[in-house]
Amino acid sequence: MASASTPSSMSGAARPDRMMGICQIVGFVCLFGFALNMLVLFLPPQIGDAGWRISFLQQFGDRSLVLLIGAALTIAGSFDSRRWLKQFSLFCLFLGGIYLITCLLVIKDTLSLRQLAVNNISAQETQVQNQIRNAQSNPAALGQNITAEDLQRASQTLSGQATAAKQNAQTGVLKTGITSVINLVAIGLGLIGLGRYGMSARQR
């Protein structure tokens, strides 16, 4: 005669199902919250502006940890359903690939912005240097308190400041780009790893 199930054994058996349910709820909340945040940041879109793309993708990568956690919890809560586990795993694999492809766009925009920043500073430097040269060629237009030596020193100071500004601009743009690429690659590989784990767990 089979022994009757005790309340404690039934509670213990129900505990994994409850944990999976909790994982799915928290996972869906993370995914939904991430999607809403990205929608707010995306609007209004300025796809043709490299600066806007860099800024958006930087915030996208910075906040994607919520997406990774949500995806992990959703997969963990789907182990009792092979159908949902497959769908979420494929979604993670696809999204991870998108993240890695997006890195190429970040690299391209970073190089473009770095060159644009240098060109803008060079253009401003050239404009001011031309004004200084025009003043040097027309001493009569100079005030009594301004000498040719003053203009020469101003030209040298301007060149030094322009060089420093170019270096700072390049460093700032490169740091932003490198940070974004690292975040996107890490999240992309994490999503791919989750997808592969989910697909392998489904086959057991």
Side-chain angles (χ1 to χ4, degrees), residues 16-64:
D17 291 338
R18 292 178 181 175
M19 290 301 298
M20 287 184 179
I22 292 173
C23 287
Q24 281 190 333
I25 292 172
V26 177
F28 283 136
V29 169
C30 290
L31 295 177
F32 183 70
F34 174 80
L36 284 183
N37 284 331
M38 290 303 102
L39 181 61
V40 171
L41 291 175
F42 184 76
L43 298 176
Q46 302 176 30
I47 305 298
D49 185 358
W52 179 88
R53 291 197 302 267
I54 282 288
S55 176
F56 173 75
L57 290 175
Q58 180 187 17
Q59 297 183 72
F60 183 76
D62 291 343
R63 303 187 184 198
S64 290

Side-chain angles (χ1 to χ4, degrees), residues 1 42 117 181:
M1 181 176 180
F42 184 76
V181 168

